[in-house]
Amino acid sequence: MNWEIYFGAALLIIVLGIGKSVSLGKAGNKRRGILNSFHVLFGTVFASAAVLFLPIYNQIFADEPFQYVKVLLLSIHNTIRLFVVDGEFTIITDYITVEEGWIFTAYTLLASILFVLAPVLTFGFVLFLFKNISAYQRYVCCYFRDVYIFSELSEKSLTLAESLRKHSKKRGIIFMDVFERNDEESYEWIERAGELGAICFKKDIQAVDFKFHSKRKSMYFFAIGQDESENIDQALKIIPEYRNREHTHLYVFSTRVDGELLLTSLDKGLVKVRRVNDIRSLINRILYEEGEKIFQHALDGKNGIKEITAVIVGMGKHGANMAKALTWFCQMDGYSVEIHMFDQDPLLEETFSAQCPELLDKDYNGIYVPGEAQYRMVVHGGISVETRRFAEEIGKLDRATYVFVALGSDEENIRTAVNLRMLFERNGAQPAIQAVVYNSAEKKALKGIANYQGQPYKVDFIGDLETSYSEEVIIDSQLEAEALLRHKKWGNEEEFWKYEYNYRSSVASAIHMRAREWCKIPGAGKPEEELTPEELAVIEVLEHRRWNAYMRSEGYIYSGSPDKSSRNDLGKMHHDLVCFSHLTEEEKRKDSRVGTR
């Protein structure tokens, strides 16, 4: 009997299988990869053990009818017995003896490993099954509760879940795709989920049927994984599944354009879907809650105009969104705005111009025409914050009033913000400085930081997870509530949530309305019918200036004709992107309606 051949085949199967299993488990630290790793290992042990039994049963049924059928079936049967702890090792030693030489030691050693490994895998599978059954049982107990279902266990989902639990102990918190990994972070997350009394499933969010739930209670789904493609894919599967259920909400965390397009075009039925762009959300929240600082730090200029000089350091997604937003946010009577944008990308101007063609256009940028958006944008591309050139350029901005730092990492943002305070101290400027810091613990520790002589750096650290992923921001946003009220002045609620064009436009309008009240614009905060003719004239022109800057920040350009038929939203072309005096009387009245409470 060729014991060496069968031993070699079994050994090769187990070695290759273990290698594949390990690679799947490490692949991007994906939990799904860990599950696939278990499947591969299970199949590998089964195949390797079956191969070891083949020569034994080949001897037993030698020269009998249907020999190979019996050999195959009984080899599989005996392998199955291994997994249920019913295998007998004597079947190995009865047919391969010491007289066979080295192969006896090698064969029995490999068989011993498989005899132990098989029941261990069975136990692991049973434990996996039991955990899911336990999770189902606990979910049934949440039948009469509002439930909040997260697509995965992560720092972001835990932070939001902890905020939800803080406001109510009765809510059902559910995490999906939860696997224990051999690292400290995973253990910490699972421990925090346990402290919340959360239910943990090992399955994907769309793989579990949550329809067994009181129709009167709300269900909140959060596609909140790190992989935005997976978030969108999960949303596209959840919506058809629950489209006929009332009180169902879906939050899809994605900054990608394809996510917006896919979710807009899909028939959502009764499901209320919101795409959460955490970058835009942060910028909007800063301007809505703390934007007053930008006007408070403005310096006296010529003719009684207060000058805002903003500096954006880092033109990634955060910086680009802030730069665009400041063009419309700072459209305010009595104020001027100049925005300096710094980034190490030498093609910054070309890239930014491609996104917003008219913002940097020489016909609008730095051109001050009555009734038109008024701002000046200066691009400083190809400059690293670590260079002398950066320090020299900052040294020239001795009238800087506001600084926003977003370079991609907490450490870099903190270091650069502190360095900027030093550079501005040298040129006598005292701007408000804000820097993005995700780590909540670091943000708290950095509050009120000072140097060794007790001089405060006066840096405001923003964007931490504890604030950004809270119930007040994600679910019960005051800004969103105000934006919805503004949208209802000309549309319905369904269109507000369905089309992001409406959502973003109304949010910007609500933010600017609040800023007008800070700046005491005549008529700000009044209903349209209570405005005097003078106040109405001020509001109309100011609203159109803001709208022009906002539309250009969204990438719109003038359609080339004042005729309505020239408007083309697919091409982002609008007939009203002109100064206020060129509008029809009908369009001017729209500005008074939109620009008032």
Side-chain angles (χ1 to χ4, degrees), residues 18-37 181:
I18 290 175
K20 180 64 175 177
S21 177
V22 171
S23 66
L24 283 172
K26 290 182 177 179
N29 285 327
K30 293 288 290 177
R31 294 176 176 84
R32 186 181 297 174
I34 294 172
L35 182 58
N36 288 336
S37 174
R181 299 198 307 271

Side-chain angles (χ1 to χ4, degrees), residues 268-543:
K268 304 172 187 66
L270 299 176
V271 180
K272 293 184 178 180
V273 179
R274 180 190 158 193
R275 184 175 75 105
V276 181
N277 183 330
D278 55 358
I279 293 172
R280 269 185 178 266
S281 176
L282 173 60
I283 302 305
N284 288 336
R285 195 171 73 253
I286 292 169
L287 297 179
Y288 181 71
E289 296 177 356
E290 304 178 38
E292 187 177 8
K293 295 178 182 177
I294 295 175
F295 296 105
Q296 288 175 339
H297 280 75
L299 300 176
D300 292 334
K302 298 178 181 177
N303 303 319
I305 299 295
K306 287 187 172 292
E307 298 176 352
I308 298 170
T309 303
V311 180
I312 312 298
V313 182
M315 286 294 289
K317 290 182 178 180
H318 285 92
N321 273 277
M322 178 57 87
K324 295 173 189 177
L326 287 176
T327 60
W328 55 260
F329 180 74
C330 295
Q331 295 302 309
M332 201 67 67
D333 290 343
Y335 292 84
S336 67
V337 61
E338 183 171 291
I339 304 166
H340 291 262
M341 302 176 288
F342 287 86
D343 197 272
Q344 62 183 0
D345 181 7
L347 300 177
L348 174 60
E349 185 168 357
E350 292 184 36
T351 304
F352 193 80
S353 295
Q355 297 172 11
C356 312
E358 285 192 351
L359 273 186
L360 292 180
D361 192 290
K362 58 183 177 58
D363 292 334
Y364 305 101
N365 185 23
I367 305 299
Y368 298 90
V369 176
E372 177 58 275
Q374 298 171 9
Y375 58 87
R376 180 169 179 257
M377 304 189 86
V378 183
V379 179
H380 303 267
I383 301 179
S384 169
V385 296
E386 304 290 343
T387 62
R388 180 174 180 175
R389 185 183 168 197
F390 176 75
E392 291 173 348
E393 292 297 322
I394 292 296
K396 298 174 185 177
L397 301 176
D398 57 353
R399 290 182 64 80
T401 60
Y402 174 72
V403 180
F404 180 75
V405 183
L407 292 165
S409 75
D410 289 359
E411 180 186 358
E412 198 170 5
N413 292 342
I414 295 167
R415 183 176 66 250
T416 301
V418 170
N419 184 53
L420 281 165
R421 179 58 74 198
M422 176 196 70
L423 294 174
F424 283 120
E425 283 290 321
R426 290 175 178 177
N427 66 15
Q430 291 290 323
I433 300 178
Q434 291 185 320
V436 176
V437 171
Y438 279 106
N439 188 295
S440 299
E442 283 190 7
K443 178 193 172 181
K444 291 176 182 177
L446 289 165
K447 187 175 181 180
I449 56 170
N451 67 4
Y452 72 99
Q453 289 192 347
Q455 296 171 298
Y457 284 102
K458 296 180 182 178
V459 176
D460 185 15
F461 297 102
I462 56 175
D464 64 295
L465 294 184
E466 192 172 314
T467 303
S468 300
Y469 288 82
S470 65
E471 181 176 2
E472 293 82 1
V473 169
I474 303 297
I475 299 175
D476 292 325
S477 167
Q478 182 183 344
L479 172 56
E480 282 186 353
E482 285 196 26
L484 178 57
L485 288 176
R486 302 215 53 70
H487 175 78
K488 285 182 176 179
K489 292 173 74 72
W490 63 85
N492 58 51
E493 182 173 353
E494 181 182 353
E495 290 175 340
F496 174 78
W497 295 109
K498 183 175 182 180
Y499 300 108
E500 289 202 31
Y501 173 89
N502 295 332
Y503 174 89
R504 292 200 297 261
S505 177
S506 298
V507 166
S509 178
I511 292 170
H512 203 261
M513 287 290 294
R514 195 175 198 187
R516 292 176 199 175
E517 294 181 30
W518 287 335
C519 296
K520 295 181 171 50
I521 298 299
K526 287 186 180 181
E528 182 181 2
E529 60 273 12
E530 294 181 10
L531 293 174
T532 65
E534 293 77 16
E535 289 172 338
L536 184 63
V538 169
I539 292 294
E540 285 181 342
V541 176
L542 180 57
E543 171 57 25

Side-chain angles (χ1 to χ4, degrees), residues 206-276:
Q206 73 271 17
V208 175
D209 188 354
F210 289 105
K211 294 195 190 72
F212 180 74
H213 202 81
S214 172
K215 293 181 180 179
R216 296 182 180 181
K217 293 299 180 179
S218 296
M219 299 183 73
Y220 294 82
F221 291 92
F222 299 90
I224 195 173
Q226 294 182 358
D227 187 339
E228 291 193 12
S229 296
E230 189 174 12
N231 292 346
I232 295 167
D233 182 60
Q234 288 170 339
L236 296 177
K237 292 175 180 176
I238 289 170
I239 292 170
E241 201 67 26
Y242 297 87
R243 65 181 309 277
N244 295 320
R245 188 188 185 280
E246 294 182 335
H247 310 299
T248 304
H249 308 261
L250 171 61
Y251 292 79
V252 187
F253 290 73
S254 170
T255 61
R256 291 169 32 166
V257 176
D258 59 340
E260 176 185 348
L261 296 174
L262 288 167
L263 294 172
T264 298
S265 61
L266 191 65
D267 179 9
K268 304 172 187 66
L270 299 176
V271 180
K272 293 184 178 180
V273 179
R274 180 190 158 193
R275 184 175 75 105
V276 181

Side-chain angles (χ1 to χ4, degrees), residues 13-14 38-51 53 75-88 111-127:
I13 290 170
I14 198 71
F38 179 82
H39 290 160
V40 169
L41 186 59
F42 197 96
T44 295
V45 171
F46 192 98
S48 183
V51 168
F53 287 125
S75 295
I76 293 173
H77 169 74
N78 225 33
T79 302
I80 293 173
R81 290 178 63 189
L82 292 189
F83 285 88
V84 296
V85 202
D86 190 37
E88 295 181 3
S112 300
I113 293 171
L114 295 177
F115 266 68
V116 172
L117 194 53
V120 168
L121 291 173
T122 301
F123 176 76
F125 176 76
V126 170
L127 185 61

